[in-house]
Amino acid sequence: KMNNENNTTPKLGEGLTNNQIVMISIGGVIGAGLFIGSSAAIAKAGPAVILSYAITSVVVFLVMRMLGEMAVMQPDTGSFSTYATKAIGPWAGCTIGWLYWWFWVLAIPVEAIAGAEILHAWFPMFPAWLYAFLFVIILSLANLFDVKNFGKFEFWFSMIKVVAILLFIGICSIAVFGFWPLADVSGIANLYQNGGFMPFGFSGILGGILITAFSFFGIEILSIAAAESANPAEKIRKATNLVIYRIILFFVVSIFLAVALVDWRSAGFKEFGTFQYVLMTLNVPGTRLIMDTVVFVAVASCMNAALYTSSRMLFSLGARKNAPAIVTKLTPKGVPRVAVVLSSSIGFIGCIVNYLLPGQVLVFLLSSSGTIALLVYLVIAISQLRLRKKCEDENIQVPFKVWLFPWLTWLVILIILSVLGYMFFSPDYSYETLMSLGITSIVVLFSLIVTRKKKPTYLKQY
Protein backbone atom coordinates (compact mmCIF):
# COMPACT_ATOMS: atom_id res chain seq x y z
CA LYS A 1 0.00 0.00 0.00
CA MET A 2 1.53 3.25 -1.06
CA ASN A 3 0.94 6.86 -0.11
CA ASN A 4 -0.76 9.10 -2.69
CA GLU A 5 1.96 11.73 -2.56
CA ASN A 6 5.02 9.55 -2.66
CA ASN A 7 5.23 6.07 -4.12
CA THR A 8 8.08 5.15 -1.77
CA THR A 9 6.25 6.09 1.42
CA PRO A 10 4.37 3.26 3.14
CA LYS A 11 0.74 3.75 4.04
CA LEU A 12 -0.55 3.60 7.60
CA GLY A 13 -2.47 0.51 8.65
CA GLU A 14 -6.25 0.17 8.80
CA GLY A 15 -6.56 -0.85 12.44
CA LEU A 16 -9.54 1.22 13.61
CA THR A 17 -12.90 -0.54 13.66
CA ASN A 18 -16.24 0.91 12.66
CA ASN A 19 -17.39 1.10 16.31
CA GLN A 20 -14.22 2.92 17.31
CA ILE A 21 -14.62 5.49 14.54
CA VAL A 22 -18.25 6.02 15.56
CA MET A 23 -17.32 6.63 19.21
CA ILE A 24 -14.42 8.89 18.27
CA SER A 25 -16.82 10.96 16.17
CA ILE A 26 -19.39 11.07 18.98
CA GLY A 27 -17.21 11.66 22.01
CA GLY A 28 -14.13 13.25 20.49
CA VAL A 29 -15.60 16.74 20.76
CA ILE A 30 -16.31 16.42 24.50
CA GLY A 31 -13.36 17.69 26.52
CA ALA A 32 -12.60 19.19 29.89
CA GLY A 33 -13.34 22.58 28.29
CA LEU A 34 -17.05 21.76 28.34
CA PHE A 35 -17.15 20.39 31.89
CA ILE A 36 -15.03 23.14 33.46
CA GLY A 37 -14.09 25.85 30.93
CA SER A 38 -17.69 26.63 30.00
CA SER A 39 -17.95 28.55 33.29
CA ALA A 40 -15.75 31.29 31.78
CA ALA A 41 -18.10 31.59 28.80
CA ILE A 42 -21.10 31.82 31.15
CA ALA A 43 -19.42 34.64 33.08
CA LYS A 44 -18.71 36.45 29.81
CA ALA A 45 -22.17 36.22 28.23
CA GLY A 46 -24.64 35.31 30.98
CA PRO A 47 -27.61 33.16 29.84
CA ALA A 48 -26.92 34.35 26.27
CA VAL A 49 -23.99 31.93 26.31
CA ILE A 50 -26.57 29.56 24.81
CA LEU A 51 -26.43 31.68 21.65
CA SER A 52 -22.63 31.68 21.78
CA TYR A 53 -22.63 27.88 21.77
CA ALA A 54 -25.36 27.69 19.12
CA ILE A 55 -23.55 30.05 16.72
CA THR A 56 -20.23 28.30 17.27
CA SER A 57 -21.90 24.91 16.75
CA VAL A 58 -23.23 25.97 13.35
CA VAL A 59 -19.88 27.42 12.24
CA VAL A 60 -17.97 24.32 13.39
CA PHE A 61 -20.50 22.07 11.65
CA LEU A 62 -20.06 23.99 8.40
CA VAL A 63 -16.27 23.73 8.71
CA MET A 64 -16.60 19.98 9.32
CA ARG A 65 -18.87 19.71 6.29
CA MET A 66 -16.19 21.44 4.20
CA LEU A 67 -13.54 19.11 5.57
CA GLY A 68 -15.86 16.17 4.93
CA GLU A 69 -16.35 17.25 1.32
CA MET A 70 -12.60 17.07 0.72
CA ALA A 71 -11.99 13.99 2.89
CA VAL A 72 -14.65 11.90 1.13
CA MET A 73 -12.90 12.58 -2.19
CA GLN A 74 -9.46 11.78 -0.76
CA PRO A 75 -9.19 10.32 2.76
CA ASP A 76 -5.73 11.16 4.06
CA THR A 77 -4.05 11.09 7.45
CA GLY A 78 -2.71 14.56 6.69
CA SER A 79 -6.31 15.77 6.33
CA PHE A 80 -6.61 19.54 5.92
CA SER A 81 -2.81 19.90 5.68
CA THR A 82 -2.80 17.72 2.57
CA TYR A 83 -5.80 19.58 1.12
CA ALA A 84 -4.15 22.95 1.79
CA THR A 85 -1.11 21.72 -0.15
CA LYS A 86 -3.34 20.93 -3.13
CA ALA A 87 -5.58 24.00 -2.90
CA ILE A 88 -3.26 26.82 -1.82
CA GLY A 89 0.25 25.52 -2.30
CA PRO A 90 2.92 23.36 -0.65
CA TRP A 91 3.91 26.19 1.71
CA ALA A 92 0.36 26.39 3.09
CA GLY A 93 0.09 22.66 3.73
CA CYS A 94 3.50 22.66 5.39
CA THR A 95 2.63 25.68 7.53
CA ILE A 96 -0.74 24.47 8.82
CA GLY A 97 0.62 20.96 9.35
CA TRP A 98 3.46 22.15 11.58
CA LEU A 99 1.19 24.59 13.45
CA TYR A 100 -1.30 21.80 14.10
CA TRP A 101 1.48 19.50 15.30
CA TRP A 102 2.73 22.29 17.59
CA PHE A 103 -0.74 22.76 19.07
CA TRP A 104 -1.15 19.11 19.93
CA VAL A 105 2.33 18.44 21.31
CA LEU A 106 1.76 21.37 23.68
CA ALA A 107 -1.57 19.82 24.67
CA ILE A 108 0.22 16.67 25.85
CA PRO A 109 1.91 18.22 28.94
CA VAL A 110 -1.15 20.39 29.70
CA GLU A 111 -3.43 17.37 29.87
CA ALA A 112 -0.82 15.27 31.68
CA ILE A 113 -0.44 17.93 34.38
CA ALA A 114 -4.21 18.33 34.75
CA GLY A 115 -4.69 14.59 35.06
CA ALA A 116 -1.79 14.33 37.50
CA GLU A 117 -3.39 16.90 39.81
CA ILE A 118 -6.56 14.81 40.01
CA LEU A 119 -4.60 11.61 40.68
CA HIS A 120 -2.51 13.38 43.33
CA ALA A 121 -5.71 14.55 45.07
CA TRP A 122 -6.95 10.95 45.11
CA PHE A 123 -3.62 9.35 46.03
CA PRO A 124 -1.41 11.99 47.71
CA MET A 125 1.29 9.49 48.69
CA PHE A 126 3.04 10.11 45.35
CA PRO A 127 4.09 13.51 43.91
CA ALA A 128 2.07 15.01 41.06
CA TRP A 129 5.06 15.09 38.71
CA LEU A 130 5.38 11.29 38.92
CA TYR A 131 1.75 10.86 37.89
CA ALA A 132 2.27 13.26 34.96
CA PHE A 133 5.30 11.36 33.68
CA LEU A 134 3.58 7.97 34.08
CA PHE A 135 0.53 9.38 32.32
CA VAL A 136 2.61 10.35 29.26
CA ILE A 137 4.59 7.09 29.25
CA ILE A 138 1.57 4.78 29.50
CA LEU A 139 -0.47 6.45 26.76
CA SER A 140 2.64 6.86 24.57
CA LEU A 141 3.33 3.12 24.79
CA ALA A 142 -0.31 2.37 24.03
CA ASN A 143 -0.11 4.51 20.89
CA LEU A 144 3.29 3.12 19.91
CA PHE A 145 2.48 -0.55 19.42
CA ASP A 146 -0.83 -0.61 17.56
CA VAL A 147 -3.38 1.94 16.37
CA LYS A 148 -6.00 -0.42 17.79
CA ASN A 149 -4.81 0.62 21.26
CA PHE A 150 -5.63 4.25 20.49
CA GLY A 151 -9.00 3.13 19.20
CA LYS A 152 -9.76 1.01 22.28
CA PHE A 153 -8.75 3.74 24.73
CA GLU A 154 -10.71 6.38 22.83
CA PHE A 155 -13.75 4.13 22.49
CA TRP A 156 -14.11 3.72 26.25
CA PHE A 157 -13.09 7.30 27.05
CA SER A 158 -15.77 8.53 24.64
CA MET A 159 -18.33 6.10 26.01
CA ILE A 160 -17.82 7.38 29.57
CA LYS A 161 -18.03 11.03 28.48
CA VAL A 162 -21.18 10.47 26.44
CA VAL A 163 -22.91 8.58 29.27
CA ALA A 164 -21.92 11.36 31.72
CA ILE A 165 -23.39 14.05 29.46
CA LEU A 166 -26.61 12.12 28.89
CA LEU A 167 -27.04 11.51 32.63
CA PHE A 168 -26.44 15.21 33.30
CA ILE A 169 -29.05 16.19 30.70
CA GLY A 170 -31.49 13.64 32.11
CA ILE A 171 -31.10 14.79 35.73
CA CYS A 172 -31.31 18.49 34.80
CA SER A 173 -34.36 17.92 32.60
CA ILE A 174 -36.17 16.25 35.50
CA ALA A 175 -35.19 19.20 37.72
CA VAL A 176 -36.40 21.82 35.21
CA PHE A 177 -39.84 20.20 35.15
CA GLY A 178 -39.93 20.20 38.97
CA PHE A 179 -39.67 16.45 39.56
CA TRP A 180 -36.18 16.27 41.06
CA PRO A 181 -36.64 15.06 44.67
CA LEU A 182 -33.29 16.18 46.14
CA ALA A 183 -33.58 19.95 45.54
CA ASP A 184 -36.33 22.55 45.31
CA VAL A 185 -35.52 23.95 41.87
CA SER A 186 -37.58 24.09 38.70
CA GLY A 187 -38.41 26.19 35.68
CA ILE A 188 -36.24 28.40 33.49
CA ALA A 189 -36.63 31.74 35.29
CA ASN A 190 -32.85 32.09 35.62
CA LEU A 191 -32.68 32.61 31.86
CA TYR A 192 -34.40 36.01 32.00
CA GLN A 193 -34.02 37.13 35.63
CA ASN A 194 -30.74 38.27 37.21
CA GLY A 195 -30.00 40.98 34.65
CA GLY A 196 -31.92 39.57 31.71
CA PHE A 197 -31.06 37.06 29.01
CA MET A 198 -28.34 39.24 27.46
CA PRO A 199 -26.83 41.18 30.39
CA PHE A 200 -23.77 42.18 28.33
CA GLY A 201 -25.50 42.59 24.99
CA PHE A 202 -24.08 41.28 21.71
CA SER A 203 -20.49 41.90 22.86
CA GLY A 204 -21.09 39.34 25.59
CA ILE A 205 -22.22 36.78 23.01
CA LEU A 206 -19.11 37.49 20.93
CA GLY A 207 -16.93 37.15 24.02
CA GLY A 208 -18.60 33.81 24.69
CA ILE A 209 -17.93 32.70 21.13
CA LEU A 210 -14.21 33.42 21.56
CA ILE A 211 -14.14 31.03 24.53
CA THR A 212 -16.48 28.36 23.17
CA ALA A 213 -14.74 28.16 19.78
CA PHE A 214 -11.76 26.44 21.35
CA SER A 215 -13.95 23.91 23.17
CA PHE A 216 -14.85 22.38 19.81
CA PHE A 217 -11.29 22.05 18.52
CA GLY A 218 -10.41 18.39 18.08
CA ILE A 219 -13.54 17.35 16.24
CA GLU A 220 -11.52 17.42 13.01
CA ILE A 221 -9.50 14.43 14.32
CA LEU A 222 -12.27 12.28 12.86
CA SER A 223 -10.98 12.88 9.32
CA ILE A 224 -7.45 11.90 10.40
CA ALA A 225 -8.48 8.76 12.28
CA ALA A 226 -10.86 7.58 9.55
CA ALA A 227 -7.91 7.31 7.16
CA GLU A 228 -6.71 4.37 9.29
CA SER A 229 -9.90 2.39 8.86
CA ALA A 230 -11.54 0.36 6.12
CA ASN A 231 -13.83 2.32 3.77
CA PRO A 232 -12.89 5.72 5.29
CA ALA A 233 -14.92 7.85 2.85
CA GLU A 234 -18.21 6.29 3.93
CA LYS A 235 -17.36 6.65 7.63
CA ILE A 236 -16.46 10.32 7.16
CA ARG A 237 -19.69 10.97 5.27
CA LYS A 238 -21.89 9.38 7.96
CA ALA A 239 -20.06 10.95 10.90
CA THR A 240 -20.07 14.43 9.35
CA ASN A 241 -23.83 14.29 8.77
CA LEU A 242 -24.40 13.57 12.47
CA VAL A 243 -21.95 16.17 13.85
CA ILE A 244 -24.51 18.98 14.16
CA TYR A 245 -26.92 16.87 16.24
CA ARG A 246 -24.18 15.71 18.57
CA ILE A 247 -22.64 19.09 19.27
CA ILE A 248 -26.05 20.71 19.80
CA LEU A 249 -27.04 17.94 22.23
CA PHE A 250 -23.75 17.86 24.13
CA PHE A 251 -23.04 21.60 24.19
CA VAL A 252 -26.14 23.71 23.59
CA VAL A 253 -28.67 21.56 25.48
CA SER A 254 -26.40 20.89 28.48
CA ILE A 255 -25.42 24.58 28.83
CA PHE A 256 -29.07 25.64 28.40
CA LEU A 257 -30.04 23.42 31.32
CA ALA A 258 -27.13 24.66 33.43
CA VAL A 259 -27.98 28.38 33.14
CA ALA A 260 -31.72 27.63 33.42
CA LEU A 261 -31.31 25.90 36.78
CA VAL A 262 -28.63 28.07 38.40
CA ASP A 263 -28.11 31.85 38.60
CA TRP A 264 -25.34 32.55 36.09
CA ARG A 265 -23.79 35.08 38.52
CA SER A 266 -23.05 32.37 41.12
CA ALA A 267 -19.41 32.24 42.15
CA GLY A 268 -19.69 28.45 42.28
CA PHE A 269 -19.49 28.21 38.48
CA LYS A 270 -15.94 29.53 38.51
CA GLU A 271 -14.93 27.76 41.71
CA PHE A 272 -16.17 24.25 40.88
CA GLY A 273 -16.84 24.23 37.14
CA THR A 274 -20.19 24.31 35.35
CA PHE A 275 -21.31 20.70 35.61
CA GLN A 276 -20.06 20.08 39.12
CA TYR A 277 -21.70 23.21 40.52
CA VAL A 278 -25.05 22.44 38.89
CA LEU A 279 -25.02 18.90 40.29
CA MET A 280 -24.01 20.26 43.70
CA THR A 281 -26.99 22.64 43.55
CA LEU A 282 -29.21 19.63 42.81
CA ASN A 283 -27.67 17.79 45.80
CA VAL A 284 -26.57 14.82 43.70
CA PRO A 285 -24.67 12.43 46.02
CA GLY A 286 -20.94 12.03 45.35
CA THR A 287 -20.85 14.93 42.90
CA ARG A 288 -17.19 15.80 43.50
CA LEU A 289 -15.94 12.24 42.93
CA ILE A 290 -18.21 11.76 39.92
CA MET A 291 -17.07 14.96 38.19
CA ASP A 292 -13.39 14.46 39.06
CA THR A 293 -13.64 11.03 37.45
CA VAL A 294 -15.36 12.37 34.34
CA VAL A 295 -12.91 15.25 34.00
CA PHE A 296 -9.99 12.84 34.44
CA VAL A 297 -11.41 10.68 31.64
CA ALA A 298 -11.85 13.79 29.45
CA VAL A 299 -8.25 14.82 30.15
CA ALA A 300 -6.95 11.31 29.39
CA SER A 301 -9.00 11.24 26.19
CA CYS A 302 -7.61 14.58 25.07
CA MET A 303 -4.03 13.51 25.75
CA ASN A 304 -4.59 10.20 23.96
CA ALA A 305 -5.92 12.16 20.98
CA ALA A 306 -3.03 14.63 21.20
CA LEU A 307 -0.45 11.83 21.04
CA TYR A 308 -2.23 10.17 18.15
CA THR A 309 -2.95 13.32 16.14
CA SER A 310 0.47 14.93 16.51
CA SER A 311 2.22 11.73 15.41
CA ARG A 312 -0.04 11.29 12.36
CA MET A 313 0.37 14.88 11.28
CA LEU A 314 4.15 14.55 11.65
CA PHE A 315 4.04 11.35 9.58
CA SER A 316 2.06 13.16 6.89
CA LEU A 317 4.53 16.04 6.86
CA GLY A 318 7.35 13.54 6.39
CA ALA A 319 5.44 11.79 3.57
CA ARG A 320 5.25 15.13 1.75
CA LYS A 321 8.96 15.82 2.44
CA ASN A 322 8.12 18.68 4.80
CA ALA A 323 9.74 16.82 7.69
CA PRO A 324 12.70 14.38 7.88
CA ALA A 325 11.95 11.10 6.11
CA ILE A 326 12.69 9.12 9.27
CA VAL A 327 9.29 10.12 10.73
CA THR A 328 7.61 7.93 8.07
CA LYS A 329 9.18 4.73 9.46
CA LEU A 330 6.43 2.28 10.39
CA THR A 331 6.20 -0.72 12.68
CA PRO A 332 4.99 -4.03 11.19
CA LYS A 333 1.49 -3.03 12.34
CA GLY A 334 1.61 0.26 10.45
CA VAL A 335 2.29 2.64 13.36
CA PRO A 336 4.65 5.62 12.71
CA ARG A 337 6.91 4.79 15.66
CA VAL A 338 9.44 7.61 15.19
CA ALA A 339 6.65 10.18 14.87
CA VAL A 340 5.00 8.85 18.04
CA VAL A 341 8.28 8.88 20.00
CA LEU A 342 9.24 12.38 18.86
CA SER A 343 5.82 13.86 19.60
CA SER A 344 5.55 12.21 23.01
CA SER A 345 9.13 13.29 23.81
CA ILE A 346 8.23 16.93 23.23
CA GLY A 347 5.25 16.46 25.55
CA PHE A 348 7.50 14.81 28.13
CA ILE A 349 9.94 17.72 27.94
CA GLY A 350 7.01 20.09 28.43
CA CYS A 351 6.16 18.32 31.69
CA ILE A 352 9.76 18.59 32.89
CA VAL A 353 9.93 22.29 32.02
CA ASN A 354 6.64 22.95 33.83
CA TYR A 355 7.83 21.36 37.08
CA LEU A 356 11.30 22.93 36.92
CA LEU A 357 9.99 26.39 35.98
CA PRO A 358 6.33 26.37 37.07
CA GLY A 359 4.07 28.91 35.39
CA GLN A 360 6.79 30.29 33.12
CA VAL A 361 8.01 28.55 29.97
CA LEU A 362 4.97 26.34 29.33
CA VAL A 363 2.53 29.24 29.76
CA PHE A 364 4.66 31.28 27.35
CA LEU A 365 4.64 28.46 24.79
CA LEU A 366 0.90 27.89 25.15
CA SER A 367 0.23 31.54 24.35
CA SER A 368 1.82 30.91 20.94
CA SER A 369 -0.95 28.44 20.06
CA GLY A 370 -3.85 30.72 21.00
CA THR A 371 -5.29 31.20 17.50
CA ILE A 372 -4.13 28.00 15.79
CA ALA A 373 -7.62 26.50 16.03
CA LEU A 374 -9.11 29.42 14.11
CA LEU A 375 -6.26 29.34 11.57
CA VAL A 376 -6.96 25.64 10.94
CA TYR A 377 -10.66 26.37 10.39
CA LEU A 378 -9.76 29.25 8.07
CA VAL A 379 -7.43 27.07 6.00
CA ILE A 380 -10.09 24.34 5.74
CA ALA A 381 -12.61 26.88 4.41
CA ILE A 382 -10.19 28.43 1.91
CA SER A 383 -9.06 24.99 0.71
CA GLN A 384 -12.63 23.84 0.17
CA LEU A 385 -13.46 27.07 -1.67
CA ARG A 386 -10.58 26.65 -4.11
CA LEU A 387 -10.82 22.88 -4.62
CA ARG A 388 -14.58 22.97 -5.14
CA LYS A 389 -14.19 25.77 -7.69
CA LYS A 390 -11.54 23.75 -9.51
CA CYS A 391 -13.79 20.69 -9.51
CA GLU A 392 -16.67 22.68 -11.00
CA ASP A 393 -14.41 24.28 -13.62
CA GLU A 394 -13.11 20.86 -14.70
CA ASN A 395 -16.47 19.05 -14.36
CA ILE A 396 -15.18 16.75 -11.62
CA GLN A 397 -17.99 15.08 -9.68
CA VAL A 398 -18.11 16.02 -5.97
CA PRO A 399 -20.06 13.28 -4.13
CA PHE A 400 -20.41 15.04 -0.75
CA LYS A 401 -21.08 18.78 -1.00
CA VAL A 402 -21.38 21.86 1.17
CA TRP A 403 -24.69 23.59 0.47
CA LEU A 404 -25.15 27.02 -1.13
CA PHE A 405 -21.62 27.11 -2.50
CA PRO A 406 -19.77 29.48 -2.41
CA TRP A 407 -21.91 31.70 -0.17
CA LEU A 408 -21.80 29.60 3.00
CA THR A 409 -18.07 29.10 2.58
CA TRP A 410 -17.49 32.84 2.24
CA LEU A 411 -19.71 33.49 5.26
CA VAL A 412 -17.60 31.14 7.40
CA ILE A 413 -14.38 32.76 6.16
CA LEU A 414 -15.70 36.23 7.04
CA ILE A 415 -16.81 35.08 10.51
CA ILE A 416 -13.41 33.55 11.26
CA LEU A 417 -11.57 36.64 10.00
CA SER A 418 -13.85 38.85 12.11
CA VAL A 419 -13.12 36.80 15.24
CA LEU A 420 -9.37 36.92 14.54
CA GLY A 421 -9.59 40.69 14.03
CA TYR A 422 -11.50 41.13 17.28
CA MET A 423 -8.91 39.05 19.14
CA PHE A 424 -6.07 41.12 17.68
CA PHE A 425 -7.55 44.40 18.96
CA SER A 426 -9.04 43.08 22.21
CA PRO A 427 -6.89 43.69 25.32
CA ASP A 428 -7.95 40.27 26.65
CA TYR A 429 -6.64 38.37 23.64
CA SER A 430 -4.10 40.63 21.91
CA TYR A 431 -1.07 39.04 23.60
CA GLU A 432 -2.03 35.51 22.58
CA THR A 433 -2.91 36.70 19.08
CA LEU A 434 0.44 38.46 18.65
CA MET A 435 2.30 35.41 19.97
CA SER A 436 0.38 33.15 17.58
CA LEU A 437 1.09 35.48 14.67
CA GLY A 438 4.75 35.43 15.65
CA ILE A 439 5.03 31.64 15.62
CA THR A 440 2.92 31.49 12.45
CA SER A 441 5.26 33.94 10.69
CA ILE A 442 8.27 31.82 11.66
CA VAL A 443 6.60 28.64 10.40
CA VAL A 444 5.51 30.32 7.14
CA LEU A 445 9.10 31.43 6.51
CA PHE A 446 10.35 27.92 7.28
CA SER A 447 7.73 26.42 4.98
CA LEU A 448 8.59 28.75 2.10
CA ILE A 449 12.22 27.66 2.37
CA VAL A 450 11.41 23.94 2.65
CA THR A 451 8.93 23.94 -0.24
CA ARG A 452 10.62 26.51 -2.48
CA LYS A 453 11.36 23.94 -5.22
CA LYS A 454 7.93 22.32 -5.12
CA LYS A 455 5.17 23.25 -7.51
CA PRO A 456 1.48 23.50 -6.53
CA THR A 457 -0.36 20.21 -7.10
CA TYR A 458 -3.90 21.46 -7.70
CA LEU A 459 -6.24 18.49 -7.89
CA LYS A 460 -3.42 16.04 -8.49
CA GLN A 461 -4.88 12.63 -7.57
CA TYR A 462 -7.83 14.49 -5.96
Side-chain angles (χ1 to χ4, degrees), residues 16-232:
L16 295 178
T17 67
N18 184 57
N19 287 339
Q20 289 168 350
I21 292 295
V22 168
M23 286 310 298
I24 290 170
S25 69
I26 294 174
V29 71
I30 306 171
L34 172 60
F35 297 115
I36 299 175
S38 53
S39 59
I42 291 172
K44 204 78 169 178
V49 70
I50 300 166
L51 297 180
S52 299
Y53 272 102
I55 293 168
T56 309
S57 295
V58 172
V59 172
V60 170
F61 169 66
L62 291 174
V63 170
M64 278 301 297
R65 182 82 185 193
M66 295 172 201
L67 182 57
E69 179 182 299
M70 297 181 289
V72 166
M73 290 195 72
Q74 183 189 318
D76 192 286
T77 196
S79 188
F80 48 83
S81 176
T82 299
Y83 310 141
T85 297
K86 296 178 179 298
I88 305 170
W91 69 272
C94 182
T95 297
I96 207 64
W98 278 111
L99 287 175
Y100 194 69
W101 175 84
W102 178 245
F103 179 94
W104 283 113
V105 293
L106 288 181
I108 294 170
V110 171
E111 304 301 337
I113 292 163
E117 291 300 320
I118 296 174
L119 288 175
H120 181 64
W122 289 344
F123 310 105
M125 68 285 295
F126 298 111
W129 62 264
L130 179 60
Y131 289 120
F133 294 155
L134 288 174
F135 210 2
V136 176
I137 292 170
I138 291 171
L139 285 181
S140 296
L141 289 174
N143 275 271
L144 186 60
F145 292 112
D146 195 336
V147 70
K148 291 180 181 178
N149 292 329
F150 163 74
K152 289 175 182 176
F153 271 103
E154 205 55 35
F155 177 88
W156 289 109
F157 287 155
S158 295
M159 180 72 77
I160 293 170
K161 291 186 292 183
V162 169
V163 169
I165 291 277
L166 293 178
L167 285 174
F168 177 84
I169 291 174
I171 290 171
C172 291
S173 298
I174 294 171
V176 163
F177 288 105
F179 298 115
W180 184 248
L182 302 179
D184 185 21
V185 292
S186 63
I188 58 172
N190 283 308
L191 292 178
Y192 50 84
Q193 293 177 347
N194 315 316
F197 180 71
M198 294 173 59
F200 304 109
F202 184 75
S203 62
I205 296 174
L206 180 58
I209 289 173
L210 291 176
I211 298 171
T212 59
F214 299 97
S215 299
F216 290 86
F217 199 52
I219 194 172
E220 72 290 336
I221 292 173
L222 165 66
S223 66
I224 297 173
E228 289 189 73
S229 67
N231 196 13

Side-chain angles (χ1 to χ4, degrees), residues 63-394:
V63 170
M64 278 301 297
R65 182 82 185 193
M66 295 172 201
L67 182 57
E69 179 182 299
M70 297 181 289
V72 166
M73 290 195 72
Q74 183 189 318
D76 192 286
T77 196
S79 188
F80 48 83
S81 176
T82 299
Y83 310 141
T85 297
K86 296 178 179 298
I88 305 170
W91 69 272
C94 182
T95 297
I96 207 64
W98 278 111
L99 287 175
Y100 194 69
W101 175 84
W102 178 245
F103 179 94
W104 283 113
V105 293
L106 288 181
I108 294 170
V110 171
E111 304 301 337
I113 292 163
E117 291 300 320
I118 296 174
L119 288 175
H120 181 64
W122 289 344
F123 310 105
M125 68 285 295
F126 298 111
W129 62 264
L130 179 60
Y131 289 120
F133 294 155
L134 288 174
F135 210 2
V136 176
I137 292 170
I138 291 171
L139 285 181
S140 296
L141 289 174
N143 275 271
L144 186 60
F145 292 112
D146 195 336
V147 70
K148 291 180 181 178
N149 292 329
F150 163 74
K152 289 175 182 176
F153 271 103
E154 205 55 35
F155 177 88
W156 289 109
F157 287 155
S158 295
M159 180 72 77
I160 293 170
K161 291 186 292 183
V162 169
V163 169
I165 291 277
L166 293 178
L167 285 174
F168 177 84
I169 291 174
I171 290 171
C172 291
S173 298
I174 294 171
V176 163
F177 288 105
F179 298 115
W180 184 248
L182 302 179
D184 185 21
V185 292
S186 63
I188 58 172
N190 283 308
L191 292 178
Y192 50 84
Q193 293 177 347
N194 315 316
F197 180 71
M198 294 173 59
F200 304 109
F202 184 75
S203 62
I205 296 174
L206 180 58
I209 289 173
L210 291 176
I211 298 171
T212 59
F214 299 97
S215 299
F216 290 86
F217 199 52
I219 194 172
E220 72 290 336
I221 292 173
L222 165 66
S223 66
I224 297 173
E228 289 189 73
S229 67
N231 196 13
E234 187 60 28
K235 291 183 176 65
I236 292 169
R237 183 198 297 261
K238 288 181 178 178
T240 303
N241 283 333
L242 294 173
V243 161
I244 188 65
Y245 306 110
R246 290 162 183 165
I247 58 181
I248 287 178
L249 175 65
F250 297 144
F251 287 86
V252 180
V253 173
S254 61
I255 296 300
F256 167 83
L257 292 168
V259 293
L261 289 170
V262 180
D263 184 347
W264 68 272
R265 301 170 299 179
S266 301
F269 274 127
K270 183 177 180 181
E271 183 179 355
F272 300 105
T274 304
F275 282 51
Q276 182 171 321
Y277 185 61
V278 172
L279 293 178
M280 288 170 61
T281 304
L282 298 178
N283 297 317
V284 175
T287 292
R288 178 66 184 269
L289 178 60
I290 293 170
M291 287 312 305
D292 279 352
T293 303
V294 172
V295 170
F296 177 77
V297 168
V299 164
S301 174
C302 186
M303 194 173 82
N304 191 43
L307 286 161
Y308 171 82
T309 308
S310 57
S311 63
R312 269 42 178 195
M313 187 56 71
L314 187 57
F315 169 85
S316 177
L317 287 165
R320 286 175 279 136
K321 301 187 184 304
N322 294 331
I326 193 173
V327 300
T328 62
K329 297 290 184 182
L330 300 182
T331 66
K333 292 189 176 182
V335 175
R337 59 188 172 204
V338 177
V340 172
V341 170
L342 286 176
S343 297
S344 60
S345 296
I346 299 298
F348 199 82
I349 292 170
C351 289
I352 295 173
V353 167
N354 177 75
Y355 287 113
L356 291 178
L357 301 168
Q360 296 180 44
V361 178
L362 188 58
V363 172
F364 173 76
L365 292 176
L366 285 172
S367 64
S368 69
S369 65
T371 65
I372 288 177
L374 291 173
L375 291 176
V376 167
Y377 291 158
L378 182 62
V379 166
I380 289 171
I382 293 174
S383 298
Q384 185 266 340
L385 181 72
R386 301 195 70 176
L387 289 176
R388 176 75 170 272
K389 184 69 167 61
K390 270 285 185 180
C391 286
E392 291 184 350
D393 290 345
E394 299 184 15

